[in-house]
Amino acid sequence: MEGRVLPHAKGYILAFIVTGAALVLTGANPVAYRSVFLLPLVAVLISTWLGGFGPGIFASLFSTVVLLDWIDLPLASSGVAGAEEAIRLGLFLVSALLISLITSERDLASKSAHARAERQAAVAHLGQRALVERDFGRLLSQVPDLIVETLGVR
C-alpha cells in the first residue's frame, strides 16, 4: 500500500490513459449505453487510487466533458428525457468527485496511521533501551542515533 501513489505527472498521464480507454470502450459498445457511466467511474477510482486526488479530479472532469458531448441534452427545451440525462450526468459527476475525495482521504489516513505507528515504535524501542541501560548519560547521548535507526531516517 505504501508508495502506491504515482509521482505528480505520471498520475495525470495514467488518469488520461485509463479514462480515455474507459471512454473508448464505452463508446465502442452501444449496447452498454444504459451503463455509460460505469467504466468512467471505474477509471476515476483507478486514477485516484494510483495517482492521488488531483488525477482523480482530472479523470472526473475529463469523463464529464466527454459524456456531456455524447449525451443529447436539449437544454433549450423542457423535455423530460433531457432533464433525466442531465440529472444522470450530474449524479455521475457528484459520484466521481466523491470517489476521488473519499479514496484520497483514505490514503491520507493510512499514511498518518503508518507514521504514528513508526513514532510509537521509536518510543517503545527507546523505552526498552532505557530499561536495559544503566548509564542514563550514555542513553541520552544515544537517543538521536536510536531515533534515526528506529525511524529509518538518514
Side-chain angles (χ1 to χ4, degrees), residues 1-2 4-5 48 52-53 100-116:
M1 181 101 77
E2 279 303 304
R4 187 184 69 217
V5 176
T48 304
F53 181 69
S100 295
L101 180 66
I102 291 168
T103 302
S104 64
E105 287 295 321
R106 186 186 131 284
D107 288 345
L108 288 174
S110 175
K111 287 177 185 175
S112 174
H114 184 69
R116 192 171 32 253

Side-chain angles (χ1 to χ4, degrees), residues 29-118:
N29 188 0
V31 175
Y33 180 74
R34 291 220 178 262
S35 61
V36 71
F37 302 108
L38 179 63
L39 289 178
L41 274 176
V42 172
V44 169
L45 179 62
I46 291 170
S47 298
T48 304
W49 191 38
L50 296 176
F53 181 69
I57 295 296
F58 172 77
S60 301
L61 296 177
F62 178 40
S63 296
T64 302
V65 168
V66 172
L67 291 171
L68 185 60
D69 184 53
W70 286 355
I71 296 173
D72 183 29
L73 293 178
L75 298 177
S77 69
S78 61
V80 175
E84 181 181 314
E85 292 299 322
I87 290 170
R88 289 177 64 201
L89 185 64
L91 288 174
F92 165 78
L93 180 59
V94 168
S95 299
L97 294 174
L98 284 174
I99 286 171
S100 295
L101 180 66
I102 291 168
T103 302
S104 64
E105 287 295 321
R106 186 186 131 284
D107 288 345
L108 288 174
S110 175
K111 287 177 185 175
S112 174
H114 184 69
R116 192 171 32 253
E118 284 183 341

